[in-house]
Amino acid sequence: MKFLKGLFITAIILVLLGYAGYYFVNKFMEDKAVEYVEKDLVENNDVAMARDYVDRSPALKSYISEGAEANLEELPVQTREEATRMVMQKLSFQEMQQIQSKAANGMTEQEVLELMGKFEAKLTDEELLALKAIVYRELYE
């Protein structure tokens, strides 16, 4: 009986350690991804390029403009960092790799709109509005 009790306690400790390790590794990876996005946007002047790209696409500009009047304080995420974390939680690692690969090779307007459709399927209306509002503010304010 004493042996089973010791085995049970050991199993619980290992499960807790495993969960804590998983949580901290995920948190670390999210932080690194946010840091990378921030650094990459600033260093490569991607904001200006993204603004030009959106301005050349009436459909994309209209889509993003839906977030222009949104009150971020009432939405689930308010900052670019929070939005990055939210997207990382909603999309699989493979989906993020595919998006990054397509973006690096240049995306057509149709591919961007398809990507928006993927976000619409994975996010709630409030989360999607928050993303639109954040993107709009990053590009135009």
Side-chain angles (χ1 to χ4, degrees):
M1 186 67 164
K2 206 174 198 183
F3 174 74
L4 289 176
K5 186 176 178 182
L7 185 63
F8 182 70
I9 291 172
T10 303
I12 289 176
I13 290 172
L14 288 175
V15 167
L16 291 174
L17 286 174
Y19 178 77
Y22 175 79
Y23 174 79
F24 288 116
V25 167
N26 270 353
K27 185 76 170 142
F28 175 77
M29 291 190 56
E30 285 177 4
D31 290 343
K32 287 296 178 188
V34 169
E35 191 177 300
Y36 173 78
V37 168
E38 290 284 323
K39 182 180 174 188
D40 192 48
L41 284 172
V42 172
E43 286 181 359
N44 295 327
N45 197 22
D46 286 343
V47 174
M49 290 175 21
R51 184 181 314 115
D52 291 340
Y53 184 84
V54 169
D55 287 342
R56 284 185 268 124
S57 169
L60 191 54
K61 187 169 185 172
S62 172
Y63 186 81
I64 292 171
S65 294
E66 293 173 10
E69 299 300 320
N71 183 358
L72 280 174
E73 294 170 2
E74 297 174 357
L75 296 172
V77 294
Q78 289 81 34
T79 66
R80 184 184 338 165
E81 294 84 7
E82 291 173 348
T84 303
R85 283 188 172 86
M86 178 186 64
V87 168
M88 288 179 65
Q89 291 172 351
K90 298 286 182 166
L91 297 177
S92 71
F93 185 70
Q94 291 172 336
E95 290 172 320
M96 288 187 289
Q97 282 182 322
Q98 289 173 350
I99 292 168
Q100 192 277 333
S101 175
K102 285 182 181 180
N105 295 328
M107 295 175 74
T108 66
E109 181 179 348
Q110 183 62 30
E111 289 174 322
V112 171
L113 293 174
E114 288 173 9
L115 177 61
M116 293 294 130
K118 184 177 280 192
F119 281 122
E120 287 176 350
K122 300 261 183 178
L123 303 173
T124 66
D125 290 341
E126 284 185 335
E127 291 169 337
L128 194 59
L129 182 60
L131 282 183
K132 290 176 187 178
I134 290 168
V135 169
Y136 185 85
R137 283 173 176 76
E138 290 289 327
L139 293 178
Y140 297 107
E141 292 180 0

